[in-house]
Each structure stands twice: as structure tokens, then as C-alpha cells.
Amino acid sequence: MNRFTAPLWVFLSLIVLLGVGLTLNPRELPSPLLGKPAPSFALPRLLAPQQNFSTAQMQGQVWLLNVWASWCAACVDEHALLLRLARAERAVPIVGLNYKDDPAQASAWLQTLGNPYAYIAVDRRGEVSLDYGVYGVPETYLIDQAGRVRVKQVGPLTAEIVEHSLRPWIQKLREEA
Amino acid sequence: MIAELGQFALSVALVMALLQAALPLYGAHKNIPAWMAAAKPLAYSQLFLLTAAFASLTYCFVTHDFSVAYVATHSNRSLPLLYRISGVWGGHEGSLLLWSLILALWGGAVARFTRRMPAPMTARALAVMAMIGGGFLAFILFTSNPFTRLLPAPLVGRDLNPLLQDIGLAVHPPMLYIGYVGFSVVFAFTIAALLGGRLDAAWARWSRPWCNLAWVFLTLGITLGSWWAYYELGWGGWWFWDPVENASFMPWLAGTALLHSLAATEKRGVFKAWSALLAVLTFSLSLLGAFLVRSGVLTSVHAFATDPARGLFVLIFLAVICGASLALYAWRAPRRVSPVRFALLSREMALLLNNILLGALCFSVLLGTLYPLLLEAVSGVKISVGAPYFNFMFAVIGAPLAVCIGIGAWLRWKKHQLAHLPRSLSVAALLSLAAGLALPLLSGKYSFSVALGLTLGIWIMLTTLAMLWARTARGARLRDFAATPPAVYGMALAHIGVGVLIIGVAVSNAYSVEKDVRIAAGETFSLAGYDFQFNGTVKAPGANYESIRGEFLVRKNQQLVATLYPEKRTYLVMKTPMTEAAIDPGFTRDLYVALGEPLDDSAWAVRLYYKPLLRWIWLGALLMALGGLIAAADHRYRPLPRRERETEMPLRH
Amino acid sequence: MRAQRRQRLILLILSAAALSGSVALGLSALRQNINLFFSPTQVRIGEAPSGRAFRIGGMVVPNSVRRNATDLRVVFALTDTASTVSVSYTGILPDLFREGQGIVALGAMQGEQFVAQQVLAKHDQTYMPPEVSQALKAAQQNRERSRSRSAQ
């Protein structure tokens, strides 16, 4: 090592450090719920407040539970993707869990951006979300026919997560059934 | 349709970039003139294609084409035209496209303005620039395509981040990128010179104006960013030592060092290897900045929406470009110590000292920025480095640097006799010391940091002015001032700018009065001799936001000084609240009012600031940029006229 | 020749001194100015220092934000879903401070309360500061572990 190669070595160690740094950013979190039954609940529906949505309705189906709120900026990030998911062929129903939100604002939000949800349950005080261990919004759960949580995604969904995690799982669950 | 056109232009540009990276390089290696000559038309074609791609994206923004995903996520039906245009670079994908366009612009400029450079040098330099451009185009096309369609198209779009809906931030990224990318020219010249084995004074002579110009834009970009953060973030600070800010500051420090060492290399043929290394480092730090901003490895309050996959791409790109150039440097850098000698007291030594100190500053910023990452990688402990660290380092390393500025410009090349240093220097030292120590007494609250800042600032200004004066002879002042080359005036202006900046920083840091208060309509609060009377709030709708606007009457000694209207906006689509501070700017002080939050019927939490000499910080930075511009325009840097070239060329081959 | 060698030696010594000086200075300044990060759980079990500034991160517990009527003091609860720490702050909260969202605060413990000098919420749409999401993750893993232990 002389004074001309020294910059190269220093730089290479910097690159290794940055590479390690890149792996340190955790987004997919293990959940104690994985493989366990999803907490059941019954809550009023956002667009039809007289009716309740209950998890029992989804028995025997593979479905997505998406926790969102109109005040959550990151929810807008994944919204286009949810719309695409909902309109895809052989789509799984998406249930929205509207977390600590003003119903009027939530409805207005859906009107501007589009509604991907089959049902929307209103969790005004966040009690159901607490059962699910929601860190923040948005969060998405994949729940199987027997009502077990299979995938938990913290933070906005991305096309990559849909392709590499959700789709394979949905396919597998449907084939098993 | 237009979006597809843009996409097509991008793809062709990538092909052109690959050709431009390969053909001229091989041509220069094998000495095939036709292949070398291909570099210039290819560079122009890149410029044309990227302009077309950029124009397409702008068209999609202006016409609300929300079937383009990037437009849908960064614009909105009610977004004003100005922000629809600046929205083009308001997100990751579009800002990368702007990066590429600016690189193509610099490439075009190199092709146009280097007619007098030897053909192999131009060919190699343009090939290196095309490698960088190709990498960024591949990055855009494979990971961050701004032209991806979103079907079905949403109706209104989800709006541009409200923080970016502002004139300061519309102009800040282009300036900053012109600066960042401009250093790629010097980088390309250096690689070309290393490849050709001709790292000589001519290389330094060609590099200097480009380096100056890039530095001017980087200075302006950073200044604009600081100004924007001051009035838009609602905190009233002008620099936060945030990783993203540091990412732009490190290339600036390295670039400033490069600016000075290139002067020594051109004039005296010294520090060749060092200048080459600095050129590589400056551009590498620009790329490192791009990595830090876009990968999410560091926590920052204003990073781009981050994505590890993108981070990986930039990291690999950084590793390839900088790794290869540092390897090339290790292999080809001139080993022979230049025969040129200089004494301990000489212009060369002053420039060397300048480089060592600027290098130490740059290193401490790098250390402070990356230390959290290092510690987490090694031990898993999460920390952050506070602003006091950076402030301390800058005071300790910056003070000797400021002293050097005053003396350095006086020194002669090669050797300066101590006895020849004029008496005026010691007079300047005494004067600035006296003024610096005495002036803080006027404020009623003595501060040693202000005394230090004033002493250094006044020292730099006095010595620089005295240096200009000393260039003229008694009886022929006007003639001699006119005969002084613009580059000297540029340097003087930039150095005076440093002095102004130091004084602004010291005084505003020490004597600012900042208060968060509870204030009800009709009440008055006194701060630093100013009475702020709050007249309550009214609703004021905007184009794409709702706003609550407060009214403050500011009086001093019963005289009305200013009426300020701070706002609290809520942007309708994103539901984001935004604080719009109201500022009464002045040469001697800024008054700053920002609405916090409503407390009850009529009372608000309000932020009131009095900031003396704050404008001096940006004034100093602007003077520096202006000085750089004047120096870059000096015709002495221009390539030799044609006649001389013809006699010179045979010697070079 | 000798003059040249001496000159190189001086240069070498100068740059070595500057480099080692700035490294030593930098490291000592760093040591005094770094802020460690702790989660509410770590604070509760006494891992966080008392009387020294550190950063704490977590989610603002919904409906816990209380504002004083007379001055600008705000008190709210910060949680990593396992433990909760009460935080007090005097001043104006950032625009993006919201219940149910992640924040980071800088300050020190005074008795049972964390007194913050600075409260940071991210100034863009990104989801959550990485430290906060990691603290939340750790808390949940611990809970899982203790749950399986109690089941045995």
C-alpha cells in the first residue's frame, strides 16, 4: 500500500460500510400474529353506517385487510396499487379498516382517489387495530380461508411486495383449497 | 403518445451514450481520428434526445396527463402552472431525468467549447461523461422510469408535496444539479488526462473555468436550499447539519479545495497528483450525496421517498465509477515529484494549507454524517450526531483557514521574504482585533464567538481590500485598477464574501432572540425592542389549499415597522398542514413570525424571532458565487487563440 | 536535493499532523455530541441514562395529547406498543406531529417524565423514522417471547 493506492482502499472500505448500511433498513416486520387466527371483529361500515362488517363474512375466502386513514400521506402512495389489485382478474377482496379517521373526510378521500375496497370497517377509536398490533398506517394483512394471518406488511405496499409476497401466497392458498 | 415519445427518446439516448462511451475511447486508444470525431455529434444527439424526453414529461405535467403514474403522484388538477413545471423534478424519477439532462447539457458544452483541445483528450473526456450519463439513463429506465403508465388514470392526481410548492424549491434542484454535475466535466478531463498520460499544466488550464463554473452553481444551489429551509420549514434555522445538507456541502468543500489547488497546478505545475485526486473525490462525493439522499441509509428530515433497491443501484454505480477512477489514479498518477520547489512562505504553501484545512473540514463532515451508520453496522447502537459537533469542528478548523485567506492572497509564488510582507498586514491584524473585541460591547451582552467571528471577518475584508490597493501605484490608481485582471477581482470578491458570511453566522447565532409564545388577538408581545401586535386570524382560500392567515403589526418606538401575514395552510389533497412564515427581511435584521397551532378561541401558539445580520449569510454566499463567476469569465483562462495553437500543436504530438 | 527532501518531509509532517489532529479532535467532539437512541421499553427498564440527553422514539398514543391552558406546555404519551413514557415539551410542535404517528424527541428524563427540547416528525411522506419502526419491532418481539414463556 503506497500513497497512490491508499485512496482506493479507503474508498473500498467505505463502499462495504455503505453496503452494510443498506441492509440495515428493516421494513417487513415479523408479527406474533403470523399463522395465528386473525382477531375477529364487527364494526360499522363507512359507506353504510347502519350495517356492520364482521370478519365472519369473509370465512372461506382469501382476503386482504388494509389499515388506512385519510390523514395518512403514505396511504396515498399505495392507493394506485390497491386500485389495480382490486380490478385485477381473480382479485382477492380488500377490506379497509379506517383507522381513527373522520368518516366524512374518509368518504371524500375515496371519492377523489377511487375506492378499491369491498367493505370498509370504521375503527374510530383504534381498538381493533390494537388487537392487530398496528404500528401505524398503512398496514396490510393477508388472511386465509380459515381466518389465519399469513402476511403482514408494515408501511405502504409496493409492486414488488405484491409480486413476490402476496401473489405467490394467494396462489398457494387457492391451490390448497 | 407524448409519454411514449419521451420513453423512446430515453432509450435511444441510452444507446447513444453507450456508443459515445465506447467509440471515441477506442478511437483515442488506436488513434483513429474518425472514431474520435464521433464523440461530438454523439454528445449533441444526447442533448437533443434528453431535451425531447424532458420536454415530453413537462408536457404531460402541463396538460394533466394523469395516466402517467409519475404525473399522477406529483401533480394535481388545481396545481398552479409554475409548480406543474417545477413538479417535473419534484420527485425521484423526474429529478433523475433532470440530472441526466443537465449532464447532457454539460456534455454539449464540452463538445462546443473545447475545439482547441487535442482531439484524443476531448474524445476521452466525452466518453467518460457518456459512461456516467449511460449509468444514470440505465438507472432511470430500469428502476425509476418517469413515463410508466397508470391505468385506469385517476381523475385529479394526488398533488405535489406542499413543501415543494414554492419558488425557492423550484429553482434550488436545477442549480444544485448543475453544480454537482458540472464537477463531472473536471472529473472527465482528469480521467482523460490520466488515460492519456498527460496530467500537466494544460490539463489544469482547461479544467479551471469548468471547475469555477460548477462551483458557482453549487454555491448558488446550496444558498437557495438554505434560504428555502429558513422560510419554508417554519423553524427559522438556515442550516441543520442534516445528512442531506451535508451531502451537498461535502462536494462543495472538496470543490473549493480543487479550485485552489488547480490554480497552483496551472501556474506552477505543482500538486498535480493531488489535484487529480481532488477532482476524482469531488465528483465521487457528488455521487455519494445522490446515494445518501436516495437510498434511505441515513435518517433525514428531508430525504426522497427511499427505496433500498435504488440505493443498491447507486451504490454499485458509485463503486464502479469511483473504484475504477481511483484504481486508474493508483496506476497512472505521476510518480515523479515535480521538480518545482517552493519555500515555506509562498503562495504554494498557502494554497496547500488551504487544501489541508478544507480537506479536514470535509473529512469532519463526512465523519459526522457516516458515524451513525458506522456505529450501527459495528455494534447495532443507534445514535445521531448533534449540530454542536459540526459547529465545534468548523470553529476550530475554520478559524485558521480564515487567517490564511488574509495572508495567502498577498504571498508571491515560489518564495516570499518575510520582510516583504507589508506593514499594512499588521495594521489590518491590529485593526480587526480591536474592532472584533470592541464591537460586541455595543450589544450589551458580550459574546466571545461574536468577537472571534468579527475579528476574522474584518481581517479577511481588510487584507483583501488592501491587497487590491497594493496592486496600484500612487498617481496611477485608476489605470492600475483597470489593468487588474478580472480573476483577481473575482478572488477578492469571493474572499470578502467569506468574511461577510462569517460575520453573519457569528452575529445571528449569538444575538438571535427566539420565542414561542401564547398570544391572543389584540395582545402585544415585545421582543428585542420590537412590539408584535396580534390582530387575530382570517380564513383565506388558496388555489389548492385552505389557509388561516394571521395579522401582526410590528412597531418599534411606536413607529410601524412592518405588517406581517403568517399563514397556516392545509393542502386539500394530501391533507398536509404547512406553516408559511411571514418575514420582514432587512440588511441589519430579520423579523420572523410563524403560526404554530390554535390554542382556544382566539389564542395561538406563535413563534417570534428577531435575527440580526441573518441576510449577511446569504449575501456572503452570493458574493462568493459572483466572484467565482467573474473569475470563470476571465479571458486569461480561455484557450489560446488559433494562431498560437497552430504553432503549439506539433509540440504536443 | 536536500532542500527538496526537507521540504517533502515538512509537507508530510504537516499533513499527517493535520489529519491526525482533525481525527482526534473529531472523535472527541463526536463523543460529546452524539445522542443515543432509546425506546420507551429501554427507558422503563432503566437502560437509558439519567441526567444526560438522548433521543427517544415511538408512536404518539392517540388521545394522550394534553395542552396547558396558560403556556405552551404539551404532555403526551409515547409508546413502542410494549411500554409507554410520558413526554413533556414546551413550544410549537412540528406540522406533521399527529396522534398515531411515529416521532423522535430529543431531551432527558426528569423523574418519570421525558422532557423534550426538540420534537421531530418527518417532513415528507415517508412512513416512519427507521429507529422508531425498529424500536416497535423489538418491543413486539419481546412481548412474543414473554408470551411463549408464560405459555410453557
Side-chain angles (χ1 to χ4, degrees):
Chain A
M1 184 161 141
N2 64 35
R3 72 194 176 98
F4 290 101
T5 49
L8 185 61
W9 301 128
V10 173
F11 173 74
L12 287 180
S13 33
L14 185 66
I15 286 291
V16 171
L17 170 69
L18 294 176
V20 171
L22 211 51
T23 62
L24 289 177
N25 207 354
R27 283 290 161 108
E28 206 175 329
L29 308 183
S31 161
L33 282 176
L34 284 186
K36 308 233 172 71
S40 57
F41 62 86
L43 285 172
R45 290 174 56 184
L46 176 69
L47 304 175
Q50 303 83 359
Q51 294 171 26
N52 264 4
F53 166 81
S54 149
T55 43
Q57 278 168 259
M58 307 308 287
Q59 197 80 41
Q61 289 191 67
V62 182
W63 57 291
L64 284 172
L65 180 71
N66 176 253
V67 187
W68 67 284
S70 69
W71 46 260
C72 142
C75 295
V76 195
D77 275 329
E78 61 170 18
H79 202 76
L81 194 65
L82 284 178
L83 283 172
R84 228 181 298 160
L85 267 181
R87 288 172 200 178
E89 253 178 83
R90 286 178 46 92
V92 292
I94 306 174
V95 176
L97 187 63
N98 188 225
Y99 177 74
K100 287 196 184 127
D101 206 351
D102 174 45
Q105 282 186 6
S107 313
W109 195 81
L110 288 176
Q111 250 158 27
T112 17
L113 293 175
N115 181 0
Y117 302 112
Y119 304 96
I120 301 156
V122 178
D123 189 19
R124 274 210 88 150
R125 277 179 298 176
E127 283 153 352
V128 169
S129 309
L130 209 60
D131 292 341
Y132 275 80
V134 169
Y135 291 133
V137 275
E139 268 186 26
T140 306
Y141 299 78
L142 180 71
I143 298 170
D144 68 9
Q145 293 94 332
R148 282 180 304 238
V149 175
R150 290 305 188 152
V151 177
K152 175 182 182 181
Q153 163 63 22
V154 175
L157 287 175
T158 62
E160 207 191 343
I161 293 163
V162 170
E163 279 315 311
H164 294 117
S165 166
L166 291 186
R167 255 193 231 294
W169 263 109
I170 294 170
Q171 207 150 21
K172 198 174 137 207
L173 290 171
R174 280 186 173 154
E175 276 162 15
E176 280 171 8
Chain B
M1 196 50 221
I2 295 291
E4 277 68 32
L5 201 71
Q7 162 90 29
F8 177 70
L10 274 186
S11 316
V12 181
L14 177 59
V15 175
M16 291 294 172
L18 293 179
L19 282 178
Q20 189 188 332
L23 284 186
L25 203 59
Y26 188 76
H29 183 61
K30 292 282 176 196
N31 207 7
I32 313 170
W35 288 32
M36 286 191 265
K40 287 184 182 182
L42 280 167
Y44 292 136
S45 77
Q46 287 243 55
L47 177 56
F48 172 75
L49 289 163
L50 280 162
T51 310
F54 194 80
S56 321
L57 190 61
T58 312
Y59 179 84
C60 295
F61 263 90
V62 171
T63 58
H64 296 297
D65 185 353
F66 295 132
S67 68
V68 176
Y70 180 71
V71 180
T73 48
H74 292 86
S75 182
N76 177 264
R77 280 230 176 269
S78 51
L79 193 64
L81 179 67
L82 172 67
Y83 301 131
R84 293 214 296 278
I85 293 171
S86 72
V88 174
W89 56 83
H92 166 77
E93 290 87 349
S95 66
L96 269 182
L97 185 58
L98 180 67
W99 225 97
S100 298
L101 173 67
I102 289 172
L103 186 63
L105 273 168
W106 281 106
V110 169
R112 170 74 183 74
F113 296 110
T114 55
R115 283 200 212 139
R116 290 167 184 126
M117 215 155 82
M121 177 87 178
T122 316
R124 287 192 180 109
L126 282 173
V128 171
M129 292 186 73
M131 287 178 201
I132 301 163
F136 271 88
L137 283 170
F139 188 25
I140 294 177
L141 282 167
F142 298 131
T143 73
S144 331
N145 193 335
F147 294 110
T148 310
R149 290 283 187 182
L150 175 70
L151 294 170
L155 285 174
V156 290
R158 78 166 235 222
D159 210 359
L160 185 65
N161 185 342
L163 279 173
L164 307 185
Q165 296 185 24
D166 173 82
I167 185 72
L169 220 65
V171 197
H172 162 66
M175 288 293 162
L176 199 62
Y177 292 173
I178 294 176
Y180 273 156
V181 180
F183 281 112
S184 77
V185 177
V186 187
F187 172 80
F189 281 6
T190 307
I191 299 298
L194 282 172
L195 281 173
R198 277 226 198 104
L199 203 64
D200 49 15
W203 156 74
R205 188 186 175 87
W206 286 315
S207 301
R208 277 186 82 184
W210 299 95
C211 178
N212 262 352
L213 215 54
W215 182 86
V216 166
F217 281 106
L218 191 57
T219 309
L220 285 178
I222 295 175
T223 311
L224 275 170
S226 149
W227 177 59
W228 167 80
Y230 169 69
Y231 70 76
E232 187 71 12
L233 288 184
W235 307 336
W238 52 275
W239 193 262
F240 301 98
W241 297 112
D242 178 274
V244 172
E245 289 171 332
N246 293 348
S248 66
F249 196 39
M250 287 187 283
W252 187 88
L253 288 168
T256 312
L258 176 63
L259 206 69
H260 289 91
S261 83
L262 273 178
T265 307
E266 187 214 353
K267 289 268 164 23
R268 299 279 300 148
V270 291
F271 315 145
K272 283 178 199 153
W274 171 242
S275 295
L277 183 62
L278 263 182
V280 171
L281 285 183
T282 305
F283 186 61
S284 303
L285 285 168
S286 302
L287 286 181
L288 181 74
F291 171 75
L292 293 179
V293 174
R294 291 166 202 274
S295 68
V297 294
L298 294 170
T299 322
S300 154
V301 282
H302 39 205
F304 276 89
T306 54
D307 178 353
R310 290 172 187 165
L312 190 66
F313 191 102
V314 187
L315 187 64
I316 292 172
F317 187 64
L318 181 74
V320 170
I321 292 277
C322 307
S325 38
L326 287 173
L328 181 71
Y329 171 81
W331 178 41
R332 298 296 290 263
R335 308 275 140 153
R336 273 184 315 118
V337 180
S338 53
V340 189
R341 265 180 276 158
F342 52 89
L344 262 184
L345 193 67
S346 62
R347 178 75 72 87
E348 287 93 330
M349 205 52 161
L351 288 173
L352 183 71
L353 208 54
N354 149 303
N355 269 231
I356 291 175
L357 292 171
L358 279 170
L361 279 181
C362 187
F363 178 76
S364 16
V365 177
L366 186 72
L367 187 71
T369 312
L370 292 185
Y371 190 67
L373 192 65
L374 182 75
L375 203 64
E376 198 190 340
V378 173
S379 62
V381 179
K382 288 203 163 276
I383 59 147
S384 73
V385 175
Y389 160 77
F390 293 103
N391 293 341
F392 173 76
M393 292 306 282
F394 266 69
V396 169
I397 305 175
L401 186 60
V403 175
C404 284
I405 292 176
I407 304 174
W410 278 93
L411 295 177
R412 293 192 191 138
W413 293 108
K414 201 167 174 183
K415 190 171 169 75
H416 199 109
Q417 296 295 338
L418 195 57
H420 289 168
L421 274 180
R423 274 241 314 285
S424 53
L425 268 188
S426 20
V427 176
L430 281 176
L431 267 178
S432 50
L433 201 64
L437 289 175
L439 282 175
L441 288 173
L442 298 178
S443 74
K445 190 183 85 181
Y446 201 82
S447 154
F448 282 102
S449 65
V450 173
L452 179 69
L454 281 173
T455 306
L456 292 174
I458 296 171
W459 159 253
I460 292 175
M461 291 191 215
L462 285 180
T463 49
T464 308
L465 290 174
M467 184 269 296
L468 285 179
W469 187 252
R471 293 184 70 98
T472 62
R474 190 194 302 267
R477 301 272 180 218
L478 272 181
R479 190 202 64 201
D480 288 350
F481 273 127
T484 302
V488 174
Y489 283 119
M491 176 190 78
L493 205 57
H495 285 176
I496 288 174
V498 177
V500 172
L501 184 121
I502 293 177
I503 293 176
V505 170
V507 172
S508 76
N509 274 5
Y511 292 136
S512 280
V513 187
E514 314 186 340
K515 259 212 140 56
D516 287 354
V517 297
R518 178 199 161 88
I519 192 164
E523 280 180 356
T524 299
F525 191 88
S526 295
L527 186 84
Y530 290 89
D531 298 320
F532 292 78
Q533 181 191 332
F534 181 41
N535 283 351
T537 56
V538 290
K539 280 202 172 147
N544 52 348
Y545 58 84
E546 280 168 357
S547 167
I548 297 172
R549 200 175 63 198
E551 188 186 75
F552 284 83
L553 299 181
V554 188
R555 291 192 182 85
K556 189 174 191 178
N557 305 327
Q558 266 77 49
Q559 290 283 318
L560 188 67
V561 178
T563 310
L564 295 173
Y565 299 99
E567 287 184 52
K568 193 86 187 174
R569 292 181 183 170
T570 306
Y571 282 79
L572 298 172
V573 180
M574 286 197 173
K575 302 281 171 220
T576 332
M578 276 286 310
T579 304
E580 289 285 321
I583 300 165
D584 180 45
F587 184 69
T588 56
R589 55 99 192 100
D590 265 24
L591 301 173
Y592 182 110
V593 179
L595 288 178
E597 53 203 294
L599 298 176
D600 53 45
D601 296 343
S602 65
W604 278 74
V606 171
R607 187 163 282 179
L608 300 176
Y609 290 166
Y610 161 78
K611 290 184 170 282
L613 299 198
L614 189 80
R615 298 278 144 179
W616 287 41
I617 296 170
W618 302 310
L619 181 70
L622 288 180
L623 286 176
M624 285 157 80
L626 189 64
L629 198 65
I630 293 174
D634 192 330
H635 64 273
R636 288 191 307 164
Y637 289 156
R638 299 252 176 83
L640 302 171
R642 199 164 281 267
R643 234 176 311 120
E644 284 177 56
R645 181 190 128 222
E646 271 152 19
T647 55
E648 197 184 26
M649 281 298 275
L651 294 176
R652 292 183 173 276
H653 275 283
Chain C
M1 203 60 218
R2 181 174 294 169
Q4 195 176 336
R5 206 174 290 166
R6 202 190 65 173
Q7 188 185 328
R8 284 198 62 188
L9 191 72
I10 291 171
L11 285 190
L12 208 69
I13 292 172
L14 255 181
S15 11
L19 189 70
S20 52
S22 66
V23 168
L25 238 151
L27 285 178
S28 80
L30 260 181
R31 199 164 308 139
Q32 288 155 24
N33 290 306
I34 58 173
N35 302 308
L36 289 156
F37 180 90
F38 294 100
S39 68
T41 304
Q42 285 173 307
V43 172
R44 278 276 159 263
I45 59 177
E47 271 183 26
S50 56
R52 191 185 184 298
F54 64 93
R55 291 186 310 149
I56 190 169
M59 230 169 71
V60 180
V61 176
N63 302 326
S64 73
V65 181
R66 300 274 174 274
R67 204 171 243 304
N68 259 20
T70 48
D71 58 10
L72 295 178
R73 211 164 84 98
V74 191
V75 177
F76 56 88
L78 200 65
T79 182
D80 57 4
T81 70
S83 311
T84 301
V85 168
S86 161
V87 178
S88 95
Y89 174 69
T90 304
I92 293 170
L93 291 164
D95 281 344
L96 294 186
F97 178 92
R98 285 199 187 102
E99 298 187 339
Q101 294 271 292
I103 61 132
V104 173
L106 173 68
M109 291 304 289
Q110 281 184 15
E112 284 298 288
Q113 196 168 52
F114 183 84
V115 179
Q117 305 149 7
Q118 199 181 22
V119 173
L120 295 172
K122 280 207 83 159
H123 248 281
D124 72 351
Q125 313 134 43
T126 7
Y127 171 62
M128 195 177 269
E131 293 100 329
V132 176
S133 75
Q134 225 173 44
L136 294 176
K137 176 177 152 191
Q140 195 141 33
Q141 271 167 349
N142 277 338
R143 207 171 346 154
E144 201 175 343
R145 219 171 294 144
S146 60
R147 214 181 273 169
S148 58
R149 214 175 294 141
S150 59
Q152 274 163 11

